[in-house]
Amino acid sequence: MAYKDYYAILGVSKNASEEEIKKAFKKLARKHHPDVSKDPGAEERFKEINEAYTVLSDPEKRRFYDQYGSEAANRSWQGPPPDAGNFGGFSGNIGDFSEFFQSLFGNLGGRGGTGFGGLEDLFGQAARPSRRGADLEAELPLSLEEAYRGGEKTLSIGGERLTVRIPAGVREGQKIRLAGKGRAGGDLYLVVRLQTRAEMRLEGDDIYVTAEVPAPIAVVGGSARVQTLDGAVSLSIPKGTQSGRRLRLKGKGWPRKDGTRGDQYAEIKLVVPTQPTPEEERLYGQLAELLKVK
């Protein structure tokens, strides 16, 4: 049986990151999608790409493939491979996968799915799932505020409007299951992707924001308004605060499983007026005179 080099199929190195694998898959899937490509071999090529991604996008299946792939090609065992019990049951028929895949994973390969099939309204150009009755995966982009608050979100999926309940404090990579919304009765799993931005980002359990502070306030001390996940708050600015300093807001970070929260850090950015009023310009002028070198 021929060995399947899934890394070569996707055109990535064996130490490629999850993001590199995902990017390569998306590029190839769009190029070889049977509804797009005029190449008569596009469908088989697409299946091969999907099979490679099914394995390499799953950390457990990837580890298993790296360890036992060569042995599977050489048929060095009969029946289920060693350590196969680490995987969950494979729902549906795996006949659309290669003989190599079936020899390696048998009926224990875990859920498949391309991550695109039938979801063009929400997730862009569709890709075809690898088998009937398949569970599908697709990304669900959420702002930090949406993920923190949770609640209901209405999505358009495959021409159908669905209401998704998002758990408060959902994390990056967490999956939300929509039963029966996959292909032919399979389930749809929405993979949460948190959308961070320059002025507010999440690192671990902590939130980092940029706090713009007028230069005079930084000199003499005072307060500034800072955005948190719970809304704007007044932040105390110590006298002599320098640009780049981080001020901590305890317990204003991301929710943890034990009910506590991380912290928030406000990174100070000093600002000066670009269009000062005449009075501001006069006062800044006086300050400049005081600072002149004698």
Side-chain angles (χ1 to χ4, degrees), residues 8 12 16 26 31 37 41 52 55 94 135 156 159 190 198 204 242-244 254 264 278 289:
V12 297
K26 286 186 176 181
K31 179 180 178 181
S37 176
V55 174
I94 63 172
D135 290 341
S156 178
L190 301 179
Q242 299 294 310
S243 188
W254 206 257
Q264 177 166 321
E289 285 294 323

Side-chain angles (χ1 to χ4, degrees), residues 213-242:
V213 177
I217 297 295
V219 173
V220 301
S223 62
R225 299 290 285 175
V226 174
Q227 192 65 35
T228 74
L229 293 169
D230 301 301
V233 298
S234 179
L235 176 66
S236 178
I237 307 298
K239 182 185 297 186
T241 293
Q242 299 294 310

Side-chain angles (χ1 to χ4, degrees), residues 28-294:
L28 291 171
R30 291 190 182 101
K31 179 180 178 181
H32 297 284
H33 193 289
D35 293 340
V36 176
S37 176
K38 302 304 181 184
D39 187 336
E43 185 165 359
E44 286 305 313
R45 175 66 174 144
F46 185 83
K47 286 182 181 180
E48 187 177 50
I49 293 165
N50 178 66
E51 180 176 311
Y53 182 70
T54 297
V55 174
L56 299 185
S57 64
D58 185 299
E60 281 300 308
K61 283 199 281 292
R62 182 179 179 180
R63 177 197 63 78
F64 192 78
Y65 164 75
D66 287 344
Q67 186 172 358
Y68 295 113
S70 296
E71 297 179 52
N74 294 328
R75 296 180 179 271
S76 61
W77 58 65
Q78 297 295 326
D83 292 346
N86 291 337
F87 302 104
F90 193 99
S91 57
N93 190 330
I94 63 172
D96 281 346
F97 290 105
S98 69
E99 183 183 1
F100 170 77
F101 180 97
Q102 295 182 53
S103 176
L104 181 58
F105 294 106
N107 289 325
L108 301 167
R111 290 187 178 90
T114 64
F116 296 92
L119 307 178
E120 56 272 17
D121 289 354
L122 179 62
F123 303 102
Q125 182 179 348
R128 190 170 296 171
S130 61
R131 54 194 169 82
R132 294 185 178 180
D135 290 341
L136 302 177
E137 284 189 2
E139 294 186 356
L140 176 61
L142 296 174
S143 69
L144 290 179
E145 290 84 356
E146 287 177 317
Y148 168 70
R149 292 191 301 267
E152 294 186 344
K153 186 178 181 71
T154 301
L155 310 173
S156 178
I157 300 177
E160 179 181 3
R161 291 182 67 79
L162 299 174
T163 299
V164 179
R165 184 173 294 278
I166 300 168
V170 68
R171 297 267 180 165
E172 171 74 16
Q174 190 170 333
K175 295 180 181 181
I176 300 174
R177 174 175 173 260
L178 299 181
K181 296 302 180 181
R183 174 151 183 170
D187 297 333
L188 170 62
Y189 290 84
L190 301 179
V191 183
V192 172
R193 296 297 180 218
L194 298 182
Q195 307 296 292
T196 60
R197 53 192 189 277
E199 62 271 21
M200 179 180 283
R201 67 185 190 277
L202 175 64
E203 294 183 9
D205 295 331
D206 299 327
I207 291 288
Y208 291 83
V209 300
T210 299
E212 294 190 345
V213 177
I217 297 295
V219 173
V220 301
S223 62
R225 299 290 285 175
V226 174
Q227 192 65 35
T228 74
L229 293 169
D230 301 301
V233 298
S234 179
L235 176 66
S236 178
I237 307 298
K239 182 185 297 186
T241 293
Q242 299 294 310
S243 188
R245 180 177 178 180
R246 289 180 176 176
L247 299 179
R248 177 180 174 225
L249 291 81
K250 186 177 180 180
K252 286 293 186 181
W254 206 257
R256 301 187 179 108
K257 290 183 179 180
D258 62 3
T260 63
R261 289 176 62 177
D263 298 324
Q264 177 166 321
Y265 293 90
E267 299 175 326
I268 303 301
K269 178 182 179 182
L270 300 187
V271 295
V272 296
T274 56
Q275 294 180 319
T277 64
E279 179 65 9
E280 288 173 331
E281 193 165 355
R282 183 183 67 82
L283 292 173
Y284 272 106
Q286 291 179 355
L287 179 60
E289 285 294 323
L290 290 174
L291 296 176
K292 280 185 177 179
V293 178
K294 301 297 185 181

